[in-house]
Amino acid sequence: MVTTEIGVTAPPASADKTGKLRLGALTALVIGSMVGSGVFSLPQNMAAGAGPLAIMIGWGITAIGMLALVFVYQSLATRKPDLDAGPYAYAKAGFGSFIGFNSAWGYWISAWLGNVSYAVIVFSALSYFFPAFGEGNTWQAVLGASVLLWLVHGLILGGLREAAGVNTIVTIAKIAPIVLFIGIAVVAFKLDVFSLDFSGLGNAGLGSITAQVKSTMLVTLWVFIGIEGASVFSARADRRSEIALATGIGFFTCLALYALVSLLSLGIMTQPELAGLKNPSMAGVLEHVVGPWGAILINVALVVSVLGAFLSWTLLAAEIPHVAGRDGTMPEFFARESGRGVPSTALFITNALVQLFLIITLFAESTYQALFSIASTAILVPYIFSGAYAAKLAITGESYEAGQSRTGPMLIGLIATLYGLWLVYAAGPAYLFMCALLYAVGVPLYVYARRQRKERAFTAVEAVLALALVAVGLFAAYEMWTGAVSPF
Ligand SMILES: NC(=[NH2+])NCCC[C@H](N)C(=O)O
């Protein structure tokens, strides 16, 4: 296996002889790049704000929106094969340098903030064995997470990459317990428990169906993040159609696993019971059915799954500013490499930020859910502008041959864009403010990067955008400082 520039793991050129096996391996790769921590907390995360009906609607919306996004990346990969630096390259090509920078910046923020949430949930799972780790945000947990962080850092500096064999083992080790969970949950499922409060309206605290659906949106987005990696990669492969197929199969497999985990749980415990579970809540549900070994199994599976995902996302998180630093989108210092060819400066800055947020986590007592919600919100900028770029190409006809149908691609681009915008609305002010602040911090860095290359910082429109972003960021900082809004 080779790791491409943006850290996406590619299948070896001399794959297995039979097409079938190859497809299986590719599908495992797609699933492996998506499944990290999210699935293991779905029972609580989904039930916290929604009843069965709203959860079903939530998965429906996510299925349409995410599938549109998958098609967007696949079609962009074929139409613009030279733009291979990942999602931000599309935003840059379509909407200029500043938007491109913000897409890279947002993708990076999402990647490393996601890793902060990974550290928290790993120690929350370990607290089943060592109670001092609590919800993953006690000082013992933060200390443990910091040790883990710099251990991984050191290993990567020493040349650690992802290895094909390990990847496959990790994928099996994390999927098998999920499948077992579903098998057991099917047997334990009681229709009368599931239908007790089907609309969720019986629990006044949940609010309207729309409010309930909104509450699921960042959770369902989180579990699908990573799928863009597989789609972006499809441009490089000689077996493009096979990768497209594998992405499709991987997508629907995950959708089925995710929906089943969240919905079957509601037939085992009631919504308020699930909402009160500790995460990773799949452990609590399985323990409820089979006793302690169920919780042990899920907590161990989570640790294996998330350690694997932590390594991949650390590599990817460092790769984003590294590539962007090389092409001038981000300041040049991000491009520095160690003797072994590791993007050491980008890696160090990335992990220093993870460390900083681990400390913030300790003092703000932030939760896993708050952290991954900010990470999910942050990725919306690159997603939205990728969708918009696909729509723009279809509307203007650029990269299309005469007579080629453009209606389908245009609709898909628009659906992906709309899905992203709806998510911005559904995310709510607290997470948006936090993201606005994190994006605003990027503006001076962008100006610095442009200066370094002796280029004009902004066009007129970009200057307005930048000013607005800084203003909103400052306002957000003020609101968070006074405690008027609180993302944690
Ligand atoms: N560290 C990250 N940024 N991870 C993002 C991917 C999240 C992944 N879909 C999960 O469920 O865990």
Side-chain angles (χ1 to χ4, degrees):
M1 226 165 272
V2 283
T3 300
T4 61
E5 289 211 326
I6 57 162
V8 178
T9 333
S14 60
D16 316 79
K17 298 278 178 295
T18 66
K20 254 189 193 153
L21 267 180
R22 237 170 25 200
L23 189 63
L26 284 175
T27 308
L29 202 70
V30 173
I31 296 177
S33 70
M34 249 187 290
V35 175
S37 69
V39 60
F40 297 98
S41 300
L42 280 178
Q44 188 277 341
N45 285 174
M46 294 297 273
L53 176 62
I55 291 180
M56 287 174 165
I57 299 174
W59 285 121
I61 295 175
T62 308
I64 296 169
M66 267 337 267
L67 198 59
L69 200 65
V70 169
F71 285 143
V72 159
Y73 282 123
Q74 284 183 352
S75 103
L76 288 177
T78 4
R79 290 191 187 289
K80 294 280 172 185
D82 47 322
L83 297 180
D84 54 4
Y88 85 87
Y90 299 132
K92 186 174 175 182
F95 306 96
S97 297
F98 185 56
I99 301 274
F101 166 82
N102 277 291
S103 295
W105 185 254
Y107 199 68
W108 181 51
I109 290 175
S110 176
W112 61 256
L113 264 179
N115 275 359
V116 181
S117 84
Y118 276 175
V120 168
I121 197 69
V122 163
F123 282 88
S124 184
L126 287 175
S127 78
Y128 190 83
F129 310 101
F130 311 100
F133 293 143
E135 305 260 332
N137 55 11
T138 62
W139 69 263
Q140 292 92 334
V142 169
L143 184 67
S146 307
V147 172
L148 175 70
L149 173 70
W150 296 108
L151 191 74
V152 171
H153 185 89
L155 289 174
I156 293 176
L157 280 184
L160 179 71
R161 308 296 287 172
E162 287 170 287
V166 180
N167 260 346
T168 312
I169 294 168
V170 169
T171 302
I172 294 171
K174 63 193 183 187
I175 300 303
I178 300 171
V179 173
L180 183 71
F181 175 93
I182 292 174
I184 293 174
V186 167
V187 180
F189 183 87
K190 299 229 166 37
L191 195 59
D192 50 330
V193 177
F194 184 76
S195 55
L196 196 62
D197 184 12
F198 184 66
S199 67
L201 297 172
N203 179 353
L206 296 183
S208 68
I209 299 286
T210 318
Q212 293 181 39
V213 172
K214 268 171 68 182
S215 82
T216 67
M217 285 292 115
L218 289 179
V219 180
T220 57
L221 170 62
W222 172 244
V223 290
F224 278 108
I225 292 179
I227 190 148
E228 69 284 344
S231 318
V232 168
F233 168 70
S234 64
R236 293 159 181 259
D238 40 332
R239 294 182 301 273
R240 189 175 289 169
S241 66
E242 227 167 71
I243 294 200
L245 187 59
T247 311
I249 300 174
F251 175 85
F252 283 107
T253 307
C254 282
L255 178 66
L257 292 179
Y258 293 159
L260 282 171
V261 165
S262 56
L263 289 168
L264 289 173
S265 297
L266 278 157
I268 295 173
M269 297 168 85
T270 63
Q271 177 269 326
E273 283 173 336
L274 288 174
L277 281 181
K278 186 180 157 149
N279 282 313
S281 46
M282 256 174 78
V285 176
L286 199 57
E287 184 167 39
H288 183 85
V289 182
V290 304
W293 74 259
I296 295 173
L297 176 75
I298 297 296
N299 283 313
V300 170
L302 178 133
V303 173
V304 173
S305 171
V306 177
L307 286 182
F310 190 86
L311 174 62
S312 322
W313 281 92
T314 303
L315 293 169
L316 180 59
E319 208 59 42
I320 298 159
H322 177 236
V323 174
R326 268 205 314 229
D327 77 6
T329 303
M330 282 199 188
E332 228 174 75
F333 58 78
F334 279 115
R336 274 180 219 150
E337 287 180 5
S338 76
R340 290 168 185 263
V342 179
S344 45
T345 305
L347 180 69
F348 177 75
I349 297 176
T350 301
N351 282 343
L353 285 165
V354 174
Q355 179 68 71
L356 175 69
F357 269 73
L358 279 172
I359 293 167
I360 294 179
T361 296
L362 176 61
F363 288 105
E365 294 177 43
S366 4
T367 59
Y368 163 66
Q369 177 145 10
L371 289 164
F372 83 66
S373 298
I374 304 169
S376 292
T377 310
I379 211 165
L380 292 174
V381 168
Y383 278 0
I384 287 172
F385 284 104
S386 301
Y389 183 50
K392 185 182 170 187
L393 287 183
I395 290 167
T396 60
E398 189 194 329
S399 86
Y400 283 81
E401 279 156 36
Q404 218 178 353
S405 166
R406 283 151 36 188
T407 324
M410 185 184 74
L411 283 179
I412 285 167
L414 289 178
I415 292 174
T417 313
L418 272 182
Y419 171 62
L421 292 173
W422 149 253
L423 269 153
V424 169
Y425 165 70
Y431 299 138
L432 285 180
F433 274 8
M434 185 70 212
C435 284
L437 176 58
L438 291 169
Y439 272 87
V441 173
V443 174
L445 255 106
Y446 175 71
V447 175
Y448 176 70
R450 298 288 290 184
R451 283 274 159 80
Q452 244 180 352
R453 310 189 96 212
K454 311 222 174 340
E455 278 167 312
R456 225 180 108 199
F458 300 113
T459 64
V461 181
E462 285 174 345
V464 174
L465 270 177
L467 273 179
L469 185 54
V470 172
V472 176
L474 287 175
F475 178 68
Y478 173 75
E479 291 283 282
M480 286 190 284
W481 179 255
T482 61
V485 291
S486 154
F488 293 126

